[in-house]
Amino acid sequence: ASRLFAAMLRVGICFFDEIEKTPAGSLALLNSVLDDRRTLKSITMGIHLPAHEDFLFCAAMNEKDALPESLKERINPLIYIGYPSISELERILEVHFPKDSEIWIKLFISEFKDSGLSPRLAIRNLAEIYKDHRKKNGTKKPTTEVIKKYLEQLKRNNVATDDNKVGTEDMIKENTNDLYDPCKEERLLH
């Protein structure tokens, strides 16, 4: 709440990422901030803080329609931004992976083009199988068939879609710090 207070007092913007993960009871405090009152009120905390006239509130969420109705009515405008197109996703992956991974990206896109995959999850999934191959085979280039086997395994494990609530953390067998980092990878290649 301190960042919200600061933004309300100092003519700032309060950006609330993944707002849908906040309990509805906690979000209820925002009702008076986001309606005509533009005041943060909390009887239990003894707060009555008016927002500066230029204060702005912005929130992001991953799940459409996950907000309580009281907030939906107050947050205007609501803007839905979907996932990037397949060609945009391909460009995103190209930025995150070394030049020699083009075939990995093409096959990954081909396999998961209809899955509605987020860029974040696409990067994590592709990084995991790419890293796994590099760990087992060094810099030896895989055949198309080998890459397809990695992709089939990924699909069998059902970790490649955002609908899977288990998440990629269960897929990653090692420390999170060991996730794919293109800068580290470039050093490994030389």
Side-chain angles (χ1 to χ4, degrees):
S2 62
R3 290 185 182 165
L4 175 63
F5 293 156
M8 290 176 67
L9 289 172
R10 295 187 204 151
V11 193
I13 297 173
C14 178
F15 179 74
F16 198 140
D17 194 12
E18 296 186 340
I19 192 170
E20 79 277 6
K21 292 184 178 178
T22 304
S26 298
L27 290 175
L29 287 173
L30 291 174
N31 289 340
S32 62
V33 174
L34 300 176
D35 65 15
D36 294 345
R37 295 173 283 179
R38 294 182 51 84
T39 303
L40 183 62
K41 288 183 180 180
S42 172
I43 295 169
T44 57
M45 293 175 22
I47 296 172
H48 180 84
L49 176 69
H52 189 280
E53 65 183 42
D54 294 325
F55 162 73
L56 297 172
F57 181 84
C58 181
M61 54 193 226
N62 296 322
E63 296 179 31
K64 195 170 147 183
D65 300 326
L67 283 177
E69 285 300 318
S70 61
L71 276 183
K72 282 184 196 175
E73 295 169 1
R74 290 170 170 84
I75 297 178
N76 286 312
L78 280 176
I79 302 169
Y80 175 74
I81 301 171
Y83 291 139
S85 68
I86 294 300
S87 62
E88 291 169 323
L89 180 59
E90 189 170 351
R91 287 193 302 272
I92 290 167
L93 292 173
E94 287 169 355
V95 167
H96 283 81
F97 290 89
K99 298 233 182 277
D100 72 343
S101 60
E102 293 154 345
I103 187 69
W104 287 87
I105 294 169
K106 296 283 184 206
L107 292 171
F108 183 86
I109 292 289
S110 175
E111 187 69 33
F112 294 104
K113 66 179 177 247
D114 296 324
S115 66
L117 204 57
S118 73
R120 176 189 54 82
L121 203 50
I123 291 166
R124 280 192 166 177
N125 284 317
L126 184 55
E128 180 62 24
I129 61 174
Y130 183 81
K131 187 180 73 167
D132 189 40
H133 173 76
R134 295 295 297 254
K135 187 182 276 187
K136 292 176 182 172
N137 302 288
T139 58
K140 180 182 174 187
K141 290 197 179 218
T143 63
T144 300
E145 290 75 30
V146 168
I147 297 172
K148 285 182 177 181
K149 285 182 182 178
Y150 278 104
L151 294 171
E152 287 169 15
Q153 179 66 36
L154 189 62
K155 214 167 195 176
R156 265 196 309 280
N157 290 342
N158 195 28
V159 295
T161 63
D162 282 335
D163 293 336
N164 183 346
K165 298 299 179 191
V166 174
T168 56
E169 290 76 16
D170 292 338
M171 176 190 74
I172 300 169
K173 299 163 190 78
E174 294 139 24
N175 188 324
T176 307
N177 295 331
D178 200 25
L179 284 174
Y180 178 72
D181 179 345
C183 296
K184 290 179 185 175
E185 184 68 28
E186 288 299 321
R187 286 192 291 268
L188 291 174
L189 293 174
H190 300 297

